[in-house]
Structure formats: C-alpha cells, structure tokens
C-alpha cells in the first residue's frame, strides 16, 4: 500500500503584496485548522515570506521558496540563497519550474546544481519536470521527462533522493485550464518513479512524492489523486484564493 502523505503545494508566482498575503493566511489557516492527512505548503514571493511566517506560526502550513541560486553565497546581485530561504522559514523550494526554464533560460545543469545545494542546506527541493506541447505531439514526452528527472537527480545519494519531491508539470497544462487526464498524468508520474528506482533503488522510489501540476483545482484533484503514483499537486492559479485552495486541500486529505 502507498503510505505517502499527499502534499498540496501552492505556487503564488509573482502575485500578492504583503497585505493580501496576510489576509489570505488569516482566512486560510481558519479553513484548514485541524485538517489531518495532508501536507500543505505555500510558496509565495520572497517579499511575503516574513509576513506569512508570522501568520502561520504554530500551524502545520509550511513555507517554500519559488527559486534559489546555485551558489551558497557571494557576489550574485539579485539572487537568493538556499540558506536565506531556510533563515526566512522555508522548508522547501521549487526548482526548475517551466517558467524559469522557458523564460529565464534555466538549464538541466542549473537545476541539478540547485537541487544538490538545496539538499545540502536542508531544504526539500520540489523539482519540476514536464514537456511542451510540441514534445508531447512528437511522442517524446516520456523520454523528455525521464531525461530531465535523471539529470536533476544525477550524483545524489539514495538518502538525498528520498528527500526530493518531483512535480510533473506538462507545460501545455500550466495556467491554460487544460489538465492532463488522470491516466496521462499517471503514466508519466509512474515513469518518474521508475526512473527514481533505477537511480536510487526501489526503497527511495517508494518514498519520493511525485506531484502533478497543471490547472489543478478542487474539481479535478480527487480524480488525479486516485492514480497510484500521484501524491499531490503543485497548484498555481487555484492557490491564490483562500477558500478555493482550502477546499482543494480538504479534498486531497487521506480519508481515515
Ligand atoms: C504552476 O505554475 O506550477 C501551475 C501548475 O500553475 P496552474 O495551476 O495555474 O496551472
């Protein structure tokens, strides 16, 4: 049986000022108070971390960064380090999001370096992988995602791999309202788990959470989570409203 606790991670991207973030948190923490059987993470802009840390103190809602740099410190104007995220109260960090790969030009090599440094610093990396529509239509989605996963995890110990979360986010499904079918998402998520097994063994593969991301909302989360290899979701648009996100989280919890 799968014993992985579902994880619902909200990616706010470049949205919300501190006032709106605090208002969200006050409403959200009331709505999810006492909810068991699901882990919840919010990844706000860096500028909202301090306010949210205060609001979510003594709650199980975790905080994550949306990015970090691949060097630990130094003359890198405008970048944020893994240690800074930890210091700001983050437990995790999203790495290799397709918007960073496509818009900022992050390569597999950069994602690999960031993943390693996040782990060394004590952050849990959420490594994003996923194909464009052109790659999918060319029948190369599986190969592409396998290569991205292998590249991000290359050189890590089995113990390190166990602390990674992988998020499968088909680029054509992000922010488009077009979700992969549960069967398509399961096919690729199961391939990601098989890739992890070949790199780090079956024990690690059984522990690693594999998320799906791409237009996830309350209306489709339950179906996605019925698939054996989907352990939660990375949620963009539907994580911005407290009531909507809380409903999504409620639907994802393990029924005991
Ligand atoms: C994302 O950006 O990680 C994402 C999945 O966005 P959305 O849920 O809006 O498609």
């Amino acid at each position: 049986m799968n014993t992985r606790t579902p994880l619902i991670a909200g990616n706010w991207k470049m949205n919300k000022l501190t006032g709106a973030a605090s208002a969200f948190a006050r409403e959200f923490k009331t709505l999810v108070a006492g909810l068991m059987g699901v882990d919840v993470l919010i990844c706000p802009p860096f500028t909202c971390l301090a306010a949210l840390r205060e609001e979510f103190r003594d709650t199980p809602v975790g905080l994550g960064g949306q990015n970090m740099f691949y060097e630990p410190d130094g003359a890198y104007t405008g970048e944020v380090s893994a240690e800074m995220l930890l210091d700001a109260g983050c437990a995790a960090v999203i790495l290799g999001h397709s918007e960073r790969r496509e818009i900022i030009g992050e390569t597999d090599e950069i994602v690999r370096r960031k993943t390693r440094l996040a782990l060394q610093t004590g952050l849990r990396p959420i490594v994003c992988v996923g194909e464009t529509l052109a790659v999918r239509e060319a029948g190369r989605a599986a190969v592409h995602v396998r290569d991205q996963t292998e590249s991000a995890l290359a050189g890590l110990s089995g113990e390190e791999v166990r602390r990674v979360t992988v998020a499968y986010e088909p680029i054509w499904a992000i922010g488009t309202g077009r979700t992969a079918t549960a069967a398509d998402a399961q096919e690729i998520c199961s391939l990601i788990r098989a890739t992890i097994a070949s790199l780090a063994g079956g024990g690690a593969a059984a522990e690693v959470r594999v998320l799906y991301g791409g237009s996830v909302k309350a209306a489709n989360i339950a179906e996605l989570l019925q698939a054996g290899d989907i352990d939660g979701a990375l949620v963009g648009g539907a994580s911005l409203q407290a009531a909507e996100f809380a409903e999504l989280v409620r639907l994802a919890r393990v029924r005991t």
Side-chain angles (χ1 to χ4, degrees), residues 11 13 94 97-99 128 169 173-177 212-217 234-239:
N11 172 15
K13 312 190 182 190
I94 298 171
H97 191 282
S98 61
E99 285 151 16
C128 300
E169 298 208 307
I174 294 180
T176 59
Y212 168 76
S215 297
V216 174
K217 43 192 178 292
L234 184 53
V235 184
S239 71

Side-chain angles (χ1 to χ4, degrees), residues 126-148:
I126 300 174
V127 176
C128 300
V129 295
E131 80 286 359
T132 61
L133 191 57
V135 168
R136 172 152 287 258
E137 285 177 349
R140 295 186 45 253
V143 171
H144 180 81
V145 169
R146 189 200 59 205
D147 289 353
Q148 281 184 324

Side-chain angles (χ1 to χ4, degrees), residues 31-192:
L31 292 169
V32 299
L35 210 60
M36 310 278 282
V38 56
D39 291 340
V40 186
L41 188 72
I42 292 181
C43 304
F46 300 135
T47 49
C48 294
L49 281 169
L52 288 185
R53 182 187 211 174
E54 210 40 51
E55 293 291 348
F56 288 133
R57 198 177 290 284
D58 302 326
T59 79
V61 180
L63 291 177
Q66 296 178 15
N67 177 41
M68 51 165 261
F69 197 53
Y70 53 76
E71 292 288 350
D73 54 35
Y76 304 106
T77 302
E79 293 294 337
V80 69
S81 76
E83 216 176 355
M84 288 168 189
L85 291 181
L86 208 58
D87 186 47
C90 292
V93 59
I94 298 171
L95 296 177
H97 191 282
S98 61
E99 285 151 16
R100 295 203 60 82
R101 293 182 191 256
E102 300 274 301
I103 302 168
I104 316 288
E106 278 194 12
T107 61
D108 283 345
E109 165 69 6
I110 288 174
V111 176
R112 187 184 64 70
R113 290 178 66 182
K114 290 183 175 187
T115 303
R116 174 179 298 195
L117 182 57
L119 288 163
Q120 286 169 351
T121 310
L123 288 171
R124 287 177 169 265
I126 300 174
V127 176
C128 300
V129 295
E131 80 286 359
T132 61
L133 191 57
V135 168
R136 172 152 287 258
E137 285 177 349
R140 295 186 45 253
V143 171
H144 180 81
V145 169
R146 189 200 59 205
D147 289 353
Q148 281 184 324
T149 307
E150 280 179 354
S151 169
L153 306 185
L156 298 180
S157 69
E159 187 276 324
E160 286 172 322
V161 170
R162 284 170 200 260
R163 288 188 280 129
V164 173
T165 297
V166 180
Y168 169 53
E169 298 208 307
I171 294 170
W172 47 269
I174 294 180
T176 59
R178 185 174 163 189
T179 321
T181 64
D184 284 344
Q186 162 62 20
E187 186 187 343
I188 301 288
C189 289
S190 119
L191 168 102
I192 290 170

